[in-house]
Amino acid sequence: MSASPAAAPTETEDPNGFLAQVDRMFDAAARQTDHPVGVLRQIRACDNVVRFEFPIKRDDGQIEVIRAYRAEHSHHKKPTKGGIRYAPSVNVDEVMALSALMSYKCAIVDVPFGGAKGGVCIDAREYSTAELERITRRYAFELIRKNYIGSGIDVPAPDYGTGQREMAWIMDTYNQMTEDDLNALACVTGKPVGQGGVRGRSEATGRGVYYGIREACRFEEDMRRLGMEPGLKDKAIVVQGLGNVGYHAARILQDEGEATIVGVAEIEGAVYNPDGFDLHDLVQHREETGSVLDFPDAENIASSQKALELPCDVLIPAALEGVITTENADDIQASIVAEAANGPVTASADRTLSNRGVLVIPDVYLNAGGVTVSYFEWLRNLSHVRHGRMSRRFEERNAERILRAVDELTEEKFDEDLMERLVERVGFGASEEDLVNSGLEDTMAFAYEEIRVIRTEKGTDMRTAAFISAINKIATSYEQMGFFP
Ligand code: NAD
């Protein structure tokens, strides 16, 4: 076993900060590998961080100075890739930590990018659409000027507080400033479908969370250890955060996985019904009243934070980091904590949960669906063709040809009615969304299997196993580049 890379101090000052937490998780995994200490240090180090401030004019004519960041954690693969977060809490520690998680995440799901992350220090709800557009375009302008964006350089995506709209503004700003870049569309992912986005991207992280939880529940041996039946059906789910990730994860768990949503926490509070309720009804109630509270099919819970302690099989924190700490880890009643958000469980709380036998499915794997489908979007933009465009009709006709050939070979002929029904059932070609979802499902299932094998071999937890998987893959990249002996 080689020396721990912990000898290299975490770069930001805060020993309890997010970056220190991520580095501690990295170090715990690194100790279980035999890579040279220099390699481990290089993998853990954040390559570039840029912090900048720029003025914008508010609608009332006031000038406000906005602080923003972009961190590119690892260039072992290019471009680097990672979301842009709009939140008042954004700081250099958080951006560096999230960019590191992106490097490990991409490696775990075999997406050929280095990790990056951006952040703008604002509460998006306090700005008008026009102000947000000015902020986003100016942020993109700064990234372009600093050479921190481009299809082969660094490719942002949505994160907390941003979505398709912001990505379209970024792409448009980039397009205007770099007229002769044929691959301009690939400078950012998570765009609207009409602007080069890929079908299935907006729900991809939530769908990936669904596939990840489904994989975890598939293994009989693991479920028995948790005292549960294998399979997702009727598993009781509590989700914190009904945003992009949380909403789609909960919706797909209910509609496709036949799991039961028993609790939902949002910024204004939480609701719970041990017998479950329909998520679509709750979403409609929130649209009508502006709140999840007072939903007729469930009782109000004191706070979003209290909802984490509700009895359930699977708890999905899908809003912010640091919500499960040593303060509440002992009160968590779920058998599985599925980290849909980035960093919802602190390093010490993670140990408490593991010691209590709770299965924690780590963020670094579980929310990788977004970057996986971003990869598919980037490929679509670089190839300048919609996935499935060349093959869909061919596949459709092929299925019909096979049916007719079978018909010719059998003695009892299909009548035309039956043939038509058969063609309708099997004679379809994969749409872009079918291909994206199938690629995502395969990616999440394969990565889970890899992590689970490492967990078993090393006798460790899922998070450490996921980090070991990432470290091994990134170390191999460096070795293949001839960097290290
Ligand atoms: P989002 O802005 O779409 O949604 C966040 C939701 O959480 C909002 O509905 C907000 O009201 C709610 N929320 C905020 N504070 C809360 C609280 N205290 N209690 C309950 N709910 C609260 O953001 P998102 O894109 O869904 O991201 C959520 C998390 O997932 C973040 O940690 C982000 O880094 C991570 N993530 C997102 C993506 C992606 O593709 N969007 C990919 C990977 C990871």
Side-chain angles (χ1 to χ4, degrees):
M1 192 176 78
S2 64
S4 158
T10 288
E11 284 188 56
T12 51
E13 300 293 313
D14 184 357
N16 297 315
F18 193 5
L19 181 60
Q21 312 261 356
V22 174
D23 283 352
R24 272 205 284 279
M25 291 168 190
F26 179 96
D27 292 347
R31 273 183 224 107
Q32 299 200 43
T33 70
D34 48 17
H35 302 292
V37 72
V39 176
L40 294 169
R41 280 193 187 161
Q42 172 53 33
I43 296 172
R44 206 186 76 165
C46 184
D47 290 351
N48 298 337
V49 195
V50 62
R51 167 196 174 283
F52 46 98
E53 311 219 19
F54 54 82
I56 65 126
K57 200 178 243 181
R58 299 289 307 248
D59 291 342
D60 64 4
Q62 302 259 12
I63 301 293
E64 190 173 310
V65 179
I66 306 282
R67 179 175 296 169
Y69 303 88
R70 184 79 184 165
E72 294 175 349
H73 175 261
S74 176
H75 290 85
H76 72 285
K77 298 255 164 147
K78 283 205 283 190
T80 50
K81 186 95 191 69
I84 298 172
R85 175 176 284 204
Y86 285 3
S89 55
V90 162
N91 58 51
V92 68
D93 179 88
E94 181 181 274
V95 169
M96 285 170 74
L98 290 167
S99 71
L101 281 177
M102 279 303 295
S103 291
Y104 310 141
K105 194 175 296 183
C106 290
I108 287 166
V109 290
D110 293 322
V111 164
F113 297 137
K117 203 75 176 191
V120 180
C121 240
I122 55 165
D123 182 344
R125 291 168 305 176
E126 286 175 6
Y127 295 82
S128 69
T129 304
E131 288 170 337
L132 285 173
E133 180 168 356
R134 287 199 287 279
I135 293 170
T136 307
R137 286 185 181 278
R138 180 61 190 257
Y139 179 72
F141 171 81
E142 295 292 336
L143 293 182
I144 297 162
R145 262 201 341 183
K146 294 169 171 57
N147 209 24
Y148 268 74
I149 185 170
S151 59
I153 302 170
D154 185 3
V155 181
D159 192 73
Y160 186 90
T162 60
Q164 292 190 349
R165 182 184 64 174
E166 286 74 15
M167 301 308 116
W169 288 332
I170 292 173
M171 194 268 289
D172 185 53
T173 308
Y174 184 87
N175 226 346
Q176 285 173 20
M177 291 184 62
T178 53
E179 279 166 20
D180 59 347
D181 184 351
L182 188 63
N183 293 325
L185 273 183
C187 78
V188 66
T189 59
K191 303 177 291 290
V193 169
Q195 305 283 326
V198 75
R199 285 162 187 81
R201 171 62 183 91
S202 54
E203 66 171 48
T205 308
R207 180 169 283 283
V209 168
Y210 160 68
Y211 290 138
I213 298 173
R214 194 190 67 185
E215 283 308 297
C217 292
R218 198 164 64 79
F219 292 94
E220 188 164 351
E221 185 192 334
D222 296 356
M223 289 301 103
R224 297 269 177 248
R225 206 175 302 135
L226 296 171
M228 295 196 291
E229 290 296 316
L232 262 182
K233 195 168 181 323
D234 298 330
K235 291 271 181 306
I237 312 278
V238 170
V239 59
Q240 184 189 50
L242 261 197
N244 177 288
V245 179
Y247 165 66
H248 287 298
R251 174 181 66 79
I252 300 168
L253 277 159
Q254 173 187 284
D255 294 349
E256 295 180 29
E258 298 182 65
T260 308
I261 308 299
V262 296
V264 165
E266 247 300 333
I267 202 156
E268 64 275 9
V271 289
Y272 177 65
N273 178 348
D275 298 326
F277 51 81
D278 186 83
L279 182 79
H280 302 288
D281 291 346
L282 178 70
V283 169
Q284 195 182 345
H285 168 80
R286 191 169 189 235
E287 271 165 20
E288 285 164 9
T289 65
S291 169
V292 293
L293 295 172
D294 303 324
F295 177 50
D297 298 343
E299 60 173 295
N300 289 345
I301 298 293
S303 69
S304 163
Q305 200 56 16
K306 270 279 153 216
L308 299 171
E309 298 164 18
L310 289 168
C312 62
D313 297 315
V314 185
L315 172 65
I316 310 178
L320 293 171
E321 57 256 18
V323 290
I324 301 178
T325 64
T326 41
E327 296 281 299
N328 61 355
D330 273 324
D331 301 319
I332 302 296
Q333 298 193 55
S335 304
I336 299 178
V337 172
E339 292 188 323
N342 280 312
V345 179
T346 63
S348 359
D350 193 38
R351 275 193 298 279
T352 309
L353 292 176
S354 286
N355 291 342
R356 289 184 44 220
V358 176
L359 173 66
V360 179
I361 314 177
D363 52 0
V364 75
Y365 156 74
L366 192 65
N367 66 29
V371 74
T372 303
V373 174
S374 274
Y375 171 47
F376 300 154
E377 179 176 334
W378 182 76
L379 290 174
R380 176 201 214 263
N381 297 152
L382 293 183
S383 61
H384 299 267
V385 64
R386 167 170 48 81
H387 295 299
R389 179 171 171 182
M390 313 270 283
S391 56
R392 185 174 177 161
R393 277 299 155 94
F394 182 81
E395 285 170 10
E396 253 172 47
R397 300 256 158 79
N398 221 19
E400 187 172 343
R401 270 195 292 273
I402 292 167
L403 282 171
R404 295 214 179 269
V406 171
D407 188 30
E408 264 173 38
L409 292 174
T410 47
E411 299 222 328
E412 245 170 78
K413 302 287 166 216
F414 302 155
D415 64 40
E416 239 351 90
D417 252 15
L418 177 62
M419 178 60 88
E420 256 174 49
R421 272 185 283 129
L422 287 173
V423 168
E424 209 172 294
R425 278 184 69 181
V426 299
F428 66 90
S431 68
E432 181 169 72
E433 195 161 359
D434 294 330
L435 291 170
V436 162
N437 289 346
S438 144
L440 174 60
E441 183 175 7
D442 187 55
T443 301
M444 294 304 291
F446 189 77
Y448 192 88
E449 196 78 55
E450 277 188 334
I451 298 168
R452 194 171 173 273
V453 167
I454 296 175
R455 182 189 70 168
T456 310
E457 273 173 16
K458 304 272 182 191
T460 186
D461 57 280
M462 287 300 280
R463 189 188 311 279
T464 309
F467 272 79
I468 293 173
S469 168
I471 291 169
N472 287 343
K473 289 179 186 178
I474 300 175
T476 304
S477 285
Y478 278 122
E479 277 157 21
Q480 285 169 351
M481 277 188 273
F483 265 106
F484 301 111

